[in-house]
Amino acid sequence: MVEKHSFWYVILIAVSAGMAGLLYGFDTAVISGAIGYLQELYDLSPAMEGWVISCVMIGGVLGVAMSGFLSDKYGRKNIMMLAAIFFILSALGSAFATGVTMLVLARILGGFGIGFASALSVTYISECAPPAIRGRLGSLYQLFTIIGICLTFYINYGVANSGTYEWGLQEGWRWMLGYGTFPGIIFLILLFFIPESPRFLIKNGKENEAFQILKRINGEKVAKKEAKEIKTSIEVEQSSSAKQLLKPGLRMALGVGIFLALFNQVIGMNAVTYYGPDIFRSVGFENNTEFLATSIIGSVQVVFTIVAILLIDRLGRKKLMAIGSSFMAVFMVLIGSVFHFEPANSGPLLLIFIAGFTAAFCVSMGPIPWVMIPEIFPNHLRGKAVGIATIFLWGANWAIGQFTPILINNMGGAFTFWMFAIINAICFTFVMTIVPETKNKSLEEIAQIWKPKKKQKEFTEQIPSFRG
């Protein structure tokens, strides 16, 4: 349990860092409202439409790749502040873009910011949060992502209804993209009120400052133990390299991390988020009701992400992912069937099926990978491993953004969504066979999962809580 005197301090830390998700959520959703106008204004081909949406992921991949080195040198907090500044500049550049090239460059800059923030936010929270509520606090990143998506859908809907279609074609999409300055400013302001990561401070010789932060979070007794563990892990880390992740045991941990990162992106939710209005428009929604339908999906995301936060430390990560991925496969079959049998007059039915898929995603493969990826790796390799996994995540995100319009245009909606159904079935299989349960385990206990069976036995004999 977290002591009362430290509870609100912990919440402040987690909320401030988790707000990085609001940036990611905004950028994920806002382009879905603007892309229809941009497609007509600039006569974009399906491939170019995909590029305008997915180019942000290029910056994201580079941002993730650089985040580990930069945060080790300058601190988690400072790099997250840099991410906020990049995002603000990106929103302004997108709003005032004079052509496709300027828009793409502005979005790539925003991708750098989101890449930095996505790699560091949950890692920062996991380094600060007490084990008993680490899952729920780590889920705040995904909660804010979903809140950002939902709010942005409603912003898009509001902007679309603020004038004629011609106004939206010339000015409306600029307002949609420009609103991104607000989450960037909020994130930047909140970061002024949180401390630097205790792990970074100890690594840079500021042990007393780190201890005071740990003490305020966990109390003096636990703080002494954690400070000692962090110091030991840093000493080990200094003699380690990313090559250690290819050793037996840790190789499996890396595989699980990459799996979680990939399936967080490729199971179909991003296709709905990026192209929601276009998808609903194709089955009969019109006069901006396609934006309203997308906003309803955003509301479902918020509700069921909250449900996930309430359940993740109770039911466990693995059980929720197994349940969620099985339901997602079923709903993707139903969504594909709508396009196959009666695409022109089945809008309400499609909305119900997409809402069901969204609910299943948001209690499982939505938030849980963001929690598990940082916690499954040993302390001395966490930064390197999370960086690698997150690069795969952003790469998969780029692929969905780039190729979804091409698939739908060339192969049809039925083929595209049935393909996602197969991917969800594969996800279920992998969850059941290779993903461990990490509920109620400390980071040190989780690290033992990947060690040879003999060493695991020795460890569990010393720490009974690991057995249960």
Side-chain angles (χ1 to χ4, degrees):
M1 294 295 292
V2 181
E3 298 181 22
K4 290 182 179 179
H5 73 275
S6 63
F7 177 79
W8 292 111
Y9 183 61
V10 172
I11 294 298
L12 172 64
I13 289 174
V15 167
S16 300
M19 280 289 291
L22 199 66
L23 277 63
Y24 181 67
F26 177 90
D27 199 82
T28 297
V30 70
I31 196 64
S32 69
I35 193 63
Y37 297 117
L38 292 167
Q39 194 280 330
E40 181 173 343
L41 183 64
Y42 295 114
D43 191 25
L44 303 177
S45 66
M48 195 62 190
E49 182 182 354
W51 172 239
V52 170
I53 287 181
S54 66
C55 65
V56 68
M57 288 58 159
I58 302 299
V61 170
L62 295 174
V64 168
M66 297 169 61
S67 63
F69 165 76
L70 292 175
S71 65
D72 283 344
K73 186 172 183 178
Y74 299 108
R76 315 280 197 257
K77 176 179 174 178
N78 289 332
I79 300 304
M80 285 193 289
M81 294 178 80
L82 180 63
I85 293 170
F86 279 3
F87 193 82
I88 293 168
L89 294 175
S90 171
L92 292 173
S94 298
F96 291 101
T98 56
V100 175
T101 299
M102 182 176 175
L103 176 62
V104 166
L105 291 175
R107 284 180 56 75
I108 291 175
L109 178 64
F112 269 98
I114 300 172
F116 289 153
S118 66
L120 297 177
S121 175
V122 180
T123 298
Y124 173 88
I125 293 172
S126 70
E127 292 176 350
C128 295
I133 59 172
R134 188 179 62 243
R136 276 169 282 178
L137 294 182
S139 297
L140 286 176
Y141 177 87
Q142 180 67 12
L143 175 60
F144 280 117
T145 297
I146 297 305
I147 290 174
I149 290 172
C150 182
L151 288 175
T152 306
F153 283 153
Y154 280 104
I155 289 171
N156 289 346
Y157 177 55
V159 171
N161 280 307
S162 295
T164 63
Y165 181 81
E166 289 70 25
W167 174 83
L169 191 63
Q170 298 300 324
E171 301 293 337
W173 64 270
R174 297 182 185 277
W175 284 96
M176 292 178 182
L177 299 175
Y179 276 118
T181 55
F182 293 104
I185 290 171
I186 293 170
F187 183 45
L188 181 62
I189 291 173
L190 285 174
L191 290 174
F192 280 101
F193 296 96
I194 64 173
E196 183 51 82
S197 161
R199 181 176 177 79
F200 173 79
L201 293 172
I202 290 175
K203 189 173 182 179
N204 286 271
K206 300 179 180 180
E207 295 183 18
N208 184 61
E209 185 178 345
F211 176 75
Q212 294 304 318
I213 295 169
L214 291 170
K215 179 180 176 181
R216 190 172 179 185
I217 293 172
N218 291 307
E220 186 169 358
K221 183 178 179 180
V222 175
K224 289 180 179 178
K225 179 176 178 291
E226 287 200 355
K228 184 178 180 181
E229 289 176 349
I230 292 171
K231 189 174 181 179
T232 300
S233 70
I234 289 173
E235 291 173 354
V236 175
E237 179 181 337
Q238 290 175 341
S239 60
S240 67
S241 70
K243 291 182 180 178
Q244 290 181 284
L245 291 167
L246 300 179
K247 292 183 177 180
L250 287 176
R251 186 167 57 217
M252 175 61 76
L254 182 62
V256 171
I258 292 173
F259 155 75
L260 291 171
L262 288 175
F263 280 87
N264 175 261
Q265 298 294 316
V266 302
I267 51 182
M269 192 66 237
N270 279 353
V272 174
T273 302
Y274 291 145
Y275 300 100
D278 287 345
I279 291 171
F280 287 117
R281 198 178 295 118
S282 70
V283 293
F285 285 87
E286 56 186 7
N287 298 322
N288 293 332
T289 57
E290 65 271 29
F291 290 103
L292 178 60
T294 309
S295 300
I296 292 172
I297 297 302
S299 299
V300 171
Q301 287 179 292
V302 171
V303 170
F304 282 90
T305 299
I306 293 172
V307 171
I309 291 174
L310 296 175
L311 294 178
I312 191 170
D313 286 322
R314 297 180 183 180
L315 294 184
R317 284 72 155 149
K318 182 167 183 167
K319 183 180 292 185
L320 283 175
M321 286 192 292
I323 293 171
S325 57
S326 60
F327 274 99
M328 285 188 290
V330 171
F331 280 114
M332 275 298 181
V333 170
L334 295 174
I335 293 168
S337 299
V338 168
F339 282 93
H340 181 71
F341 292 108
E342 196 178 359
N345 301 297
S346 51
L349 195 61
L350 181 67
L351 179 59
I352 291 171
F353 291 157
I354 290 181
F357 169 81
T358 301
F361 172 82
C362 288
V363 297
S364 59
M365 294 306 297
I368 294 176
W370 292 101
V371 174
M372 284 194 71
I373 290 172
E375 70 181 4
I376 63 175
F377 296 106
N379 288 334
H380 65 287
L381 291 170
R382 181 172 300 117
K384 298 179 179 69
V386 169
I388 293 171
T390 311
I391 287 173
F392 276 89
L393 184 149
W394 276 91
N397 196 342
W398 169 81
I400 295 298
Q402 178 66 57
F403 295 113
T404 294
I406 299 174
L407 279 171
I408 293 177
N409 185 70
N410 295 334
M411 306 300 294
F415 174 87
T416 301
F417 288 105
W418 285 340
M419 179 193 70
F420 285 130
I422 294 172
I423 292 173
N424 277 284
I426 295 172
C427 177
F428 172 81
T429 303
F430 272 75
V431 166
M432 294 301 295
T433 55
I434 71 169
V435 177
E437 181 56 76
T438 58
K439 180 184 72 170
N440 292 333
K441 292 179 172 63
S442 71
L443 298 179
E444 288 69 30
E445 290 170 339
I446 294 170
Q448 301 302 313
I449 294 174
W450 315 112
K451 291 187 176 181
K453 297 294 183 181
K454 182 178 179 180
K455 292 186 177 181
Q456 283 189 34
K457 183 177 179 181
E458 293 174 356
F459 186 81
T460 54
E461 287 174 353
Q462 297 175 6
I463 304 180
S465 63
F466 187 71
R467 295 194 294 268

